[in-house]
mmCIF file of all heavy atoms in Angstrom:
data_model
loop_
_atom_site.group_PDB
_atom_site.id
_atom_site.type_symbol
_atom_site.label_atom_id
_atom_site.label_comp_id
_atom_site.label_asym_id
_atom_site.label_seq_id
_atom_site.Cartn_x
_atom_site.Cartn_y
_atom_site.Cartn_z
ATOM 1 N N GLY A 1 -185.852 -102.880 47.230
ATOM 2 C CA GLY A 1 -185.759 -104.153 47.923
ATOM 3 C C GLY A 1 -186.892 -105.088 47.596
ATOM 4 O O GLY A 1 -187.275 -105.920 48.423
ATOM 5 N N ALA A 2 -187.456 -104.967 46.382
ATOM 6 C CA ALA A 2 -188.587 -105.807 45.991
ATOM 7 C C ALA A 2 -188.313 -106.511 44.662
ATOM 8 O O ALA A 2 -189.234 -106.795 43.902
ATOM 9 C CB ALA A 2 -189.864 -104.971 45.898
ATOM 10 N N GLY A 3 -187.051 -106.774 44.378
ATOM 11 C CA GLY A 3 -186.703 -107.560 43.208
ATOM 12 C C GLY A 3 -186.715 -106.788 41.908
ATOM 13 O O GLY A 3 -186.945 -105.576 41.867
ATOM 14 N N ALA A 4 -186.466 -107.529 40.832
ATOM 15 C CA ALA A 4 -186.288 -106.931 39.506
ATOM 16 C C ALA A 4 -187.551 -106.959 38.664
ATOM 17 O O ALA A 4 -187.497 -106.668 37.471
ATOM 18 C CB ALA A 4 -185.160 -107.652 38.767
ATOM 19 N N GLY A 5 -188.685 -107.301 39.256
ATOM 20 C CA GLY A 5 -189.908 -107.414 38.482
ATOM 21 C C GLY A 5 -190.694 -106.135 38.338
ATOM 22 O O GLY A 5 -191.732 -106.117 37.683
ATOM 23 N N GLY A 6 -190.210 -105.061 38.935
ATOM 24 C CA GLY A 6 -190.899 -103.776 38.829
ATOM 25 C C GLY A 6 -190.445 -103.010 37.603
ATOM 26 O O GLY A 6 -189.868 -103.561 36.663
ATOM 27 N N ASP A 7 -190.676 -101.706 37.630
ATOM 28 C CA ASP A 7 -190.365 -100.861 36.482
ATOM 29 C C ASP A 7 -189.143 -99.974 36.710
ATOM 30 O O ASP A 7 -188.613 -99.399 35.755
ATOM 31 C CB ASP A 7 -191.576 -99.993 36.146
ATOM 32 C CG ASP A 7 -192.809 -100.832 35.868
ATOM 33 O OD1 ASP A 7 -192.748 -101.676 34.950
ATOM 34 O OD2 ASP A 7 -193.821 -100.661 36.579
ATOM 35 N N ALA A 8 -188.713 -99.843 37.962
ATOM 36 C CA ALA A 8 -187.523 -99.051 38.276
ATOM 37 C C ALA A 8 -186.893 -99.618 39.541
ATOM 38 O O ALA A 8 -187.568 -100.246 40.367
ATOM 39 C CB ALA A 8 -187.875 -97.576 38.475
ATOM 40 N N GLN A 9 -185.604 -99.412 39.674
ATOM 41 C CA GLN A 9 -184.861 -99.804 40.868
ATOM 42 C C GLN A 9 -184.439 -98.539 41.613
ATOM 43 O O GLN A 9 -183.859 -97.629 41.013
ATOM 44 C CB GLN A 9 -183.617 -100.627 40.501
ATOM 45 C CG GLN A 9 -183.934 -101.983 39.932
ATOM 46 C CD GLN A 9 -184.632 -102.887 40.940
ATOM 47 O OE1 GLN A 9 -184.300 -102.874 42.126
ATOM 48 N NE2 GLN A 9 -185.605 -103.662 40.466
ATOM 49 N N TYR A 10 -184.706 -98.512 42.918
ATOM 50 C CA TYR A 10 -184.551 -97.298 43.720
ATOM 51 C C TYR A 10 -183.627 -97.564 44.899
ATOM 52 O O TYR A 10 -183.840 -98.494 45.669
ATOM 53 C CB TYR A 10 -185.947 -96.873 44.200
ATOM 54 C CG TYR A 10 -186.021 -95.646 45.080
ATOM 55 C CD1 TYR A 10 -185.088 -94.623 45.002
ATOM 56 C CD2 TYR A 10 -187.085 -95.501 45.973
ATOM 57 C CE1 TYR A 10 -185.191 -93.496 45.797
ATOM 58 C CE2 TYR A 10 -187.203 -94.381 46.773
ATOM 59 C CZ TYR A 10 -186.256 -93.380 46.681
ATOM 60 O OH TYR A 10 -186.361 -92.269 47.470
ATOM 61 N N LEU A 11 -182.575 -96.761 45.005
ATOM 62 C CA LEU A 11 -181.671 -96.813 46.145
ATOM 63 C C LEU A 11 -181.383 -95.396 46.630
ATOM 64 O O LEU A 11 -181.568 -94.426 45.893
ATOM 65 C CB LEU A 11 -180.350 -97.500 45.789
ATOM 66 C CG LEU A 11 -180.360 -99.015 45.580
ATOM 67 C CD1 LEU A 11 -178.969 -99.504 45.185
ATOM 68 C CD2 LEU A 11 -180.853 -99.745 46.820
ATOM 69 N N PHE A 12 -180.898 -95.301 47.856
ATOM 70 C CA PHE A 12 -180.476 -94.022 48.416
ATOM 71 C C PHE A 12 -179.015 -93.766 48.046
ATOM 72 O O PHE A 12 -178.183 -94.668 48.149
ATOM 73 C CB PHE A 12 -180.625 -94.016 49.937
ATOM 74 C CG PHE A 12 -182.023 -93.743 50.422
ATOM 75 C CD1 PHE A 12 -183.133 -94.212 49.730
ATOM 76 C CD2 PHE A 12 -182.233 -93.021 51.585
ATOM 77 C CE1 PHE A 12 -184.419 -93.963 50.170
ATOM 78 C CE2 PHE A 12 -183.521 -92.755 52.037
ATOM 79 C CZ PHE A 12 -184.613 -93.233 51.335
ATOM 80 N N ALA A 13 -178.725 -92.525 47.643
ATOM 81 C CA ALA A 13 -177.347 -92.170 47.318
ATOM 82 C C ALA A 13 -176.420 -92.422 48.505
ATOM 83 O O ALA A 13 -175.266 -92.826 48.327
ATOM 84 C CB ALA A 13 -177.270 -90.704 46.890
ATOM 85 N N ASP A 14 -176.911 -92.197 49.722
ATOM 86 C CA ASP A 14 -176.105 -92.453 50.921
ATOM 87 C C ASP A 14 -175.572 -93.886 50.944
ATOM 88 O O ASP A 14 -174.423 -94.123 51.311
ATOM 89 C CB ASP A 14 -176.932 -92.207 52.186
ATOM 90 C CG ASP A 14 -176.877 -90.767 52.645
ATOM 91 O OD1 ASP A 14 -176.170 -89.964 52.004
ATOM 92 O OD2 ASP A 14 -177.539 -90.436 53.639
ATOM 93 N N ASP A 15 -176.428 -94.831 50.574
ATOM 94 C CA ASP A 15 -176.018 -96.235 50.579
ATOM 95 C C ASP A 15 -175.111 -96.552 49.397
ATOM 96 O O ASP A 15 -174.110 -97.263 49.534
ATOM 97 C CB ASP A 15 -177.246 -97.144 50.559
ATOM 98 C CG ASP A 15 -178.078 -97.028 51.824
ATOM 99 O OD1 ASP A 15 -177.480 -96.792 52.901
ATOM 100 O OD2 ASP A 15 -179.308 -97.167 51.750
ATOM 101 N N VAL A 16 -175.460 -96.040 48.224
ATOM 102 C CA VAL A 16 -174.653 -96.285 47.026
ATOM 103 C C VAL A 16 -173.228 -95.766 47.220
ATOM 104 O O VAL A 16 -172.255 -96.405 46.814
ATOM 105 C CB VAL A 16 -175.312 -95.622 45.800
ATOM 106 C CG1 VAL A 16 -174.384 -95.649 44.590
ATOM 107 C CG2 VAL A 16 -176.625 -96.324 45.465
ATOM 108 N N LEU A 17 -173.096 -94.605 47.872
ATOM 109 C CA LEU A 17 -171.788 -93.973 48.054
ATOM 110 C C LEU A 17 -171.059 -94.458 49.300
ATOM 111 O O LEU A 17 -169.908 -94.083 49.519
ATOM 112 C CB LEU A 17 -171.955 -92.453 48.126
ATOM 113 C CG LEU A 17 -172.525 -91.795 46.868
ATOM 114 C CD1 LEU A 17 -172.754 -90.310 47.101
ATOM 115 C CD2 LEU A 17 -171.598 -92.008 45.675
ATOM 116 N N GLY A 18 -171.712 -95.265 50.116
ATOM 117 C CA GLY A 18 -171.051 -95.747 51.323
ATOM 118 C C GLY A 18 -170.844 -94.668 52.363
ATOM 119 O O GLY A 18 -169.866 -94.715 53.119
ATOM 120 N N GLN A 19 -171.756 -93.722 52.431
ATOM 121 C CA GLN A 19 -171.615 -92.661 53.435
ATOM 122 C C GLN A 19 -172.647 -92.790 54.550
ATOM 123 O O GLN A 19 -172.723 -91.946 55.435
ATOM 124 C CB GLN A 19 -171.693 -91.279 52.779
ATOM 125 C CG GLN A 19 -172.962 -91.001 52.015
ATOM 126 C CD GLN A 19 -172.849 -89.738 51.169
ATOM 127 O OE1 GLN A 19 -171.755 -89.248 50.885
ATOM 128 N NE2 GLN A 19 -173.987 -89.182 50.762
ATOM 129 N N ASN A 20 -173.396 -93.872 54.530
ATOM 130 C CA ASN A 20 -174.359 -94.160 55.589
ATOM 131 C C ASN A 20 -173.633 -94.866 56.735
ATOM 132 O O ASN A 20 -173.159 -95.992 56.588
ATOM 133 C CB ASN A 20 -175.475 -95.053 55.048
ATOM 134 C CG ASN A 20 -176.501 -95.412 56.102
ATOM 135 O OD1 ASN A 20 -176.451 -94.939 57.239
ATOM 136 N ND2 ASN A 20 -177.429 -96.274 55.738
ATOM 137 N N ARG A 21 -173.538 -94.227 57.883
ATOM 138 C CA ARG A 21 -172.821 -94.803 59.028
ATOM 139 C C ARG A 21 -173.732 -95.627 59.936
ATOM 140 O O ARG A 21 -173.281 -96.212 60.900
ATOM 141 C CB ARG A 21 -172.142 -93.696 59.834
ATOM 142 C CG ARG A 21 -171.055 -92.956 59.056
ATOM 143 C CD ARG A 21 -170.419 -91.878 59.907
ATOM 144 N NE ARG A 21 -169.450 -91.099 59.164
ATOM 145 C CZ ARG A 21 -168.187 -91.436 58.988
ATOM 146 N NH1 ARG A 21 -167.740 -92.572 59.519
ATOM 147 N NH2 ARG A 21 -167.368 -90.669 58.308
ATOM 148 N N GLY A 22 -175.029 -95.629 59.630
ATOM 149 C CA GLY A 22 -175.960 -96.409 60.430
ATOM 150 C C GLY A 22 -176.233 -97.759 59.802
ATOM 151 O O GLY A 22 -175.375 -98.345 59.121
ATOM 152 N N HIS A 23 -177.441 -98.249 60.020
ATOM 153 C CA HIS A 23 -177.832 -99.543 59.473
ATOM 154 C C HIS A 23 -177.936 -99.462 57.959
ATOM 155 O O HIS A 23 -178.560 -98.564 57.406
ATOM 156 C CB HIS A 23 -179.180 -99.960 60.057
ATOM 157 C CG HIS A 23 -179.783 -101.156 59.392
ATOM 158 N ND1 HIS A 23 -179.262 -102.425 59.530
ATOM 159 C CD2 HIS A 23 -180.862 -101.269 58.556
ATOM 160 C CE1 HIS A 23 -179.992 -103.277 58.828
ATOM 161 N NE2 HIS A 23 -180.968 -102.606 58.226
ATOM 162 N N VAL A 24 -177.321 -100.411 57.266
ATOM 163 C CA VAL A 24 -177.407 -100.484 55.813
ATOM 164 C C VAL A 24 -178.431 -101.568 55.461
ATOM 165 O O VAL A 24 -178.258 -102.732 55.839
ATOM 166 C CB VAL A 24 -176.048 -100.813 55.181
ATOM 167 C CG1 VAL A 24 -176.187 -100.961 53.672
ATOM 168 C CG2 VAL A 24 -175.032 -99.726 55.525
ATOM 169 N N PRO A 25 -179.503 -101.221 54.759
ATOM 170 C CA PRO A 25 -180.532 -102.215 54.436
ATOM 171 C C PRO A 25 -179.975 -103.377 53.620
ATOM 172 O O PRO A 25 -179.000 -103.217 52.872
ATOM 173 C CB PRO A 25 -181.552 -101.412 53.613
ATOM 174 C CG PRO A 25 -181.278 -99.986 53.936
ATOM 175 C CD PRO A 25 -179.826 -99.887 54.242
ATOM 176 N N ARG A 26 -180.605 -104.522 53.748
ATOM 177 C CA ARG A 26 -180.153 -105.714 53.022
ATOM 178 C C ARG A 26 -180.179 -105.494 51.510
ATOM 179 O O ARG A 26 -179.315 -105.992 50.785
ATOM 180 C CB ARG A 26 -181.046 -106.904 53.381
ATOM 181 C CG ARG A 26 -180.718 -108.183 52.604
ATOM 182 C CD ARG A 26 -181.548 -109.350 53.077
ATOM 183 N NE ARG A 26 -182.976 -109.048 53.067
ATOM 184 C CZ ARG A 26 -183.903 -109.858 53.578
ATOM 185 N NH1 ARG A 26 -183.548 -110.993 54.163
ATOM 186 N NH2 ARG A 26 -185.169 -109.522 53.533
ATOM 187 N N HIS A 27 -181.163 -104.736 51.039
ATOM 188 C CA HIS A 27 -181.285 -104.556 49.602
ATOM 189 C C HIS A 27 -180.316 -103.535 49.031
ATOM 190 O O HIS A 27 -180.185 -103.412 47.810
ATOM 191 C CB HIS A 27 -182.723 -104.133 49.243
ATOM 192 C CG HIS A 27 -183.144 -102.853 49.897
ATOM 193 N ND1 HIS A 27 -183.902 -102.825 51.048
ATOM 194 C CD2 HIS A 27 -182.921 -101.564 49.576
ATOM 195 C CE1 HIS A 27 -184.131 -101.569 51.390
ATOM 196 N NE2 HIS A 27 -183.534 -100.787 50.516
ATOM 197 N N ALA A 28 -179.634 -102.786 49.890
ATOM 198 C CA ALA A 28 -178.731 -101.751 49.399
ATOM 199 C C ALA A 28 -177.460 -102.364 48.835
ATOM 200 O O ALA A 28 -177.001 -103.421 49.284
ATOM 201 C CB ALA A 28 -178.392 -100.777 50.527
ATOM 202 N N LYS A 29 -176.897 -101.703 47.835
ATOM 203 C CA LYS A 29 -175.593 -102.093 47.301
ATOM 204 C C LYS A 29 -174.673 -100.889 47.366
ATOM 205 O O LYS A 29 -175.017 -99.801 46.886
ATOM 206 C CB LYS A 29 -175.703 -102.602 45.870
ATOM 207 C CG LYS A 29 -174.369 -103.107 45.313
ATOM 208 C CD LYS A 29 -174.505 -103.744 43.940
ATOM 209 C CE LYS A 29 -173.157 -104.247 43.442
ATOM 210 N NZ LYS A 29 -173.248 -104.881 42.095
ATOM 211 N N THR A 30 -173.502 -101.083 47.961
ATOM 212 C CA THR A 30 -172.549 -99.991 48.156
ATOM 213 C C THR A 30 -171.461 -100.066 47.085
ATOM 214 O O THR A 30 -170.831 -101.107 46.907
ATOM 215 C CB THR A 30 -171.920 -100.069 49.556
ATOM 216 O OG1 THR A 30 -172.968 -99.945 50.535
ATOM 217 C CG2 THR A 30 -170.913 -98.959 49.765
ATOM 218 N N TYR A 31 -171.265 -98.950 46.385
ATOM 219 C CA TYR A 31 -170.314 -98.910 45.275
ATOM 220 C C TYR A 31 -169.045 -98.123 45.601
ATOM 221 O O TYR A 31 -168.054 -98.254 44.888
ATOM 222 C CB TYR A 31 -170.982 -98.279 44.049
ATOM 223 C CG TYR A 31 -172.083 -99.131 43.462
ATOM 224 C CD1 TYR A 31 -173.364 -99.128 44.011
ATOM 225 C CD2 TYR A 31 -171.847 -99.932 42.355
ATOM 226 C CE1 TYR A 31 -174.383 -99.902 43.473
ATOM 227 C CE2 TYR A 31 -172.854 -100.718 41.807
ATOM 228 C CZ TYR A 31 -174.122 -100.703 42.371
ATOM 229 O OH TYR A 31 -175.125 -101.477 41.842
ATOM 230 N N ARG A 32 -169.075 -97.316 46.622
ATOM 231 C CA ARG A 32 -167.902 -96.539 47.035
ATOM 232 C C ARG A 32 -167.868 -96.494 48.561
ATOM 233 O O ARG A 32 -168.829 -96.864 49.228
ATOM 234 C CB ARG A 32 -167.962 -95.108 46.476
ATOM 235 C CG ARG A 32 -167.822 -95.016 44.964
ATOM 236 C CD ARG A 32 -166.445 -95.427 44.480
ATOM 237 N NE ARG A 32 -166.289 -95.237 43.053
ATOM 238 C CZ ARG A 32 -166.626 -96.130 42.118
ATOM 239 N NH1 ARG A 32 -167.183 -97.281 42.486
ATOM 240 N NH2 ARG A 32 -166.422 -95.881 40.841
ATOM 241 N N ASN A 33 -166.737 -95.989 49.110
ATOM 242 C CA ASN A 33 -166.578 -95.887 50.563
ATOM 243 C C ASN A 33 -166.322 -94.439 50.942
ATOM 244 O O ASN A 33 -165.225 -94.068 51.331
ATOM 245 C CB ASN A 33 -165.445 -96.795 51.040
ATOM 246 C CG ASN A 33 -165.392 -96.910 52.562
ATOM 247 O OD1 ASN A 33 -166.152 -96.245 53.267
ATOM 248 N ND2 ASN A 33 -164.502 -97.725 53.075
ATOM 249 N N PHE A 34 -167.367 -93.624 50.812
ATOM 250 C CA PHE A 34 -167.218 -92.210 51.141
ATOM 251 C C PHE A 34 -166.968 -91.999 52.631
ATOM 252 O O PHE A 34 -166.329 -91.029 53.023
ATOM 253 C CB PHE A 34 -168.467 -91.438 50.708
ATOM 254 C CG PHE A 34 -168.427 -90.959 49.288
ATOM 255 C CD1 PHE A 34 -167.825 -91.729 48.296
ATOM 256 C CD2 PHE A 34 -168.996 -89.749 48.927
ATOM 257 C CE1 PHE A 34 -167.789 -91.293 46.979
ATOM 258 C CE2 PHE A 34 -168.965 -89.303 47.616
ATOM 259 C CZ PHE A 34 -168.368 -90.073 46.640
ATOM 260 N N ALA A 35 -167.476 -92.895 53.474
ATOM 261 C CA ALA A 35 -167.290 -92.731 54.916
ATOM 262 C C ALA A 35 -165.803 -92.718 55.264
ATOM 263 O O ALA A 35 -165.346 -91.892 56.067
ATOM 264 C CB ALA A 35 -168.003 -93.836 55.679
ATOM 265 N N ALA A 36 -165.043 -93.635 54.661
ATOM 266 C CA ALA A 36 -163.592 -93.671 54.911
ATOM 267 C C ALA A 36 -162.930 -92.406 54.402
ATOM 268 O O ALA A 36 -162.015 -91.869 55.039
ATOM 269 C CB ALA A 36 -162.983 -94.905 54.249
ATOM 270 N N GLU A 37 -163.403 -91.911 53.256
ATOM 271 C CA GLU A 37 -162.830 -90.676 52.708
ATOM 272 C C GLU A 37 -163.165 -89.486 53.600
ATOM 273 O O GLU A 37 -162.323 -88.610 53.835
ATOM 274 C CB GLU A 37 -163.355 -90.448 51.299
ATOM 275 C CG GLU A 37 -162.756 -89.254 50.573
ATOM 276 C CD GLU A 37 -161.272 -89.408 50.278
ATOM 277 O OE1 GLU A 37 -160.735 -90.525 50.419
ATOM 278 O OE2 GLU A 37 -160.644 -88.398 49.927
ATOM 279 N N TYR A 38 -164.377 -89.466 54.133
ATOM 280 C CA TYR A 38 -164.747 -88.395 55.063
ATOM 281 C C TYR A 38 -163.890 -88.462 56.324
ATOM 282 O O TYR A 38 -163.498 -87.425 56.876
ATOM 283 C CB TYR A 38 -166.222 -88.497 55.431
ATOM 284 C CG TYR A 38 -167.174 -88.135 54.312
ATOM 285 C CD1 TYR A 38 -168.421 -88.741 54.213
ATOM 286 C CD2 TYR A 38 -166.840 -87.196 53.341
ATOM 287 C CE1 TYR A 38 -169.303 -88.423 53.194
ATOM 288 C CE2 TYR A 38 -167.701 -86.872 52.324
ATOM 289 C CZ TYR A 38 -168.934 -87.492 52.244
ATOM 290 O OH TYR A 38 -169.800 -87.174 51.235
ATOM 291 N N ASP A 39 -163.608 -89.667 56.811
ATOM 292 C CA ASP A 39 -162.741 -89.821 57.987
ATOM 293 C C ASP A 39 -161.350 -89.276 57.688
ATOM 294 O O ASP A 39 -160.741 -88.597 58.526
ATOM 295 C CB ASP A 39 -162.652 -91.292 58.394
ATOM 296 C CG ASP A 39 -163.936 -91.811 59.028
ATOM 297 O OD1 ASP A 39 -164.757 -90.985 59.471
ATOM 298 O OD2 ASP A 39 -164.115 -93.043 59.074
ATOM 299 N N ARG A 40 -160.831 -89.614 56.508
ATOM 300 C CA ARG A 40 -159.504 -89.118 56.125
ATOM 301 C C ARG A 40 -159.512 -87.589 56.039
ATOM 302 O O ARG A 40 -158.589 -86.923 56.539
ATOM 303 C CB ARG A 40 -159.090 -89.705 54.781
ATOM 304 C CG ARG A 40 -157.667 -89.334 54.348
ATOM 305 C CD ARG A 40 -157.381 -89.733 52.922
ATOM 306 N NE ARG A 40 -158.148 -88.937 51.975
ATOM 307 C CZ ARG A 40 -157.786 -87.693 51.615
ATOM 308 N NH1 ARG A 40 -156.706 -87.113 52.125
ATOM 309 N NH2 ARG A 40 -158.516 -87.024 50.750
ATOM 310 N N LEU A 41 -160.565 -87.032 55.435
ATOM 311 C CA LEU A 41 -160.652 -85.580 55.323
ATOM 312 C C LEU A 41 -160.785 -84.918 56.690
ATOM 313 O O LEU A 41 -160.222 -83.835 56.914
ATOM 314 C CB LEU A 41 -161.839 -85.200 54.440
ATOM 315 C CG LEU A 41 -161.682 -85.494 52.949
ATOM 316 C CD1 LEU A 41 -162.998 -85.254 52.213
ATOM 317 C CD2 LEU A 41 -160.572 -84.649 52.339
ATOM 318 N N GLN A 42 -161.495 -85.565 57.612
ATOM 319 C CA GLN A 42 -161.619 -85.005 58.952
ATOM 320 C C GLN A 42 -160.268 -84.985 59.659
ATOM 321 O O GLN A 42 -159.931 -84.008 60.348
ATOM 322 C CB GLN A 42 -162.646 -85.806 59.769
ATOM 323 C CG GLN A 42 -162.836 -85.314 61.200
ATOM 324 C CD GLN A 42 -163.444 -83.914 61.297
ATOM 325 O OE1 GLN A 42 -163.769 -83.288 60.285
ATOM 326 N NE2 GLN A 42 -163.605 -83.413 62.507
ATOM 327 N N GLN A 43 -159.503 -86.055 59.489
ATOM 328 C CA GLN A 43 -158.158 -86.084 60.068
ATOM 329 C C GLN A 43 -157.295 -84.965 59.485
ATOM 330 O O GLN A 43 -156.547 -84.298 60.213
ATOM 331 C CB GLN A 43 -157.514 -87.445 59.812
ATOM 332 C CG GLN A 43 -158.162 -88.589 60.572
ATOM 333 C CD GLN A 43 -157.638 -89.945 60.151
ATOM 334 O OE1 GLN A 43 -156.755 -90.043 59.308
ATOM 335 N NE2 GLN A 43 -158.195 -91.002 60.735
ATOM 336 N N GLU A 44 -157.407 -84.750 58.178
ATOM 337 C CA GLU A 44 -156.663 -83.668 57.533
ATOM 338 C C GLU A 44 -157.155 -82.307 58.017
ATOM 339 O O GLU A 44 -156.365 -81.374 58.200
ATOM 340 C CB GLU A 44 -156.811 -83.773 56.014
ATOM 341 C CG GLU A 44 -156.061 -84.932 55.389
ATOM 342 C CD GLU A 44 -154.558 -84.790 55.563
ATOM 343 O OE1 GLU A 44 -154.002 -83.746 55.168
ATOM 344 O OE2 GLU A 44 -153.942 -85.708 56.131
ATOM 345 N N ARG A 45 -158.448 -82.197 58.260
ATOM 346 C CA ARG A 45 -159.025 -80.945 58.759
ATOM 347 C C ARG A 45 -158.455 -80.615 60.138
ATOM 348 O O ARG A 45 -158.043 -79.475 60.408
ATOM 349 C CB ARG A 45 -160.556 -81.074 58.802
ATOM 350 C CG ARG A 45 -161.281 -79.806 59.163
ATOM 351 C CD ARG A 45 -162.795 -80.020 59.150
ATOM 352 N NE ARG A 45 -163.328 -80.179 57.804
ATOM 353 C CZ ARG A 45 -163.863 -81.281 57.323
ATOM 354 N NH1 ARG A 45 -163.950 -82.371 58.093
ATOM 355 N NH2 ARG A 45 -164.326 -81.343 56.102
ATOM 356 N N VAL A 46 -158.448 -81.612 61.027
ATOM 357 C CA VAL A 46 -157.900 -81.410 62.378
ATOM 358 C C VAL A 46 -156.431 -81.041 62.295
ATOM 359 O O VAL A 46 -155.944 -80.137 63.004
ATOM 360 C CB VAL A 46 -158.105 -82.675 63.232
ATOM 361 C CG1 VAL A 46 -157.368 -82.552 64.563
ATOM 362 C CG2 VAL A 46 -159.593 -82.927 63.474
ATOM 363 N N ALA A 47 -155.678 -81.728 61.431
ATOM 364 C CA ALA A 47 -154.247 -81.455 61.293
ATOM 365 C C ALA A 47 -154.000 -80.035 60.801
ATOM 366 O O ALA A 47 -153.117 -79.325 61.313
ATOM 367 C CB ALA A 47 -153.613 -82.470 60.348
ATOM 368 N N ALA A 48 -154.793 -79.594 59.822
ATOM 369 C CA ALA A 48 -154.625 -78.243 59.290
ATOM 370 C C ALA A 48 -154.950 -77.196 60.342
ATOM 371 O O ALA A 48 -154.230 -76.192 60.489
ATOM 372 C CB ALA A 48 -155.515 -78.062 58.061
#
């Protein structure tokens, strides 16, 4: 969250994968929606 002027860009996998159900930092970028997939799997788990 400190711009592109450094030497590396650092994010949490939780945020990248969209599995963070709490506060998502402004600097985070989400590339997938694992939370929705986990919800679907939980529904399937209960059904099974």
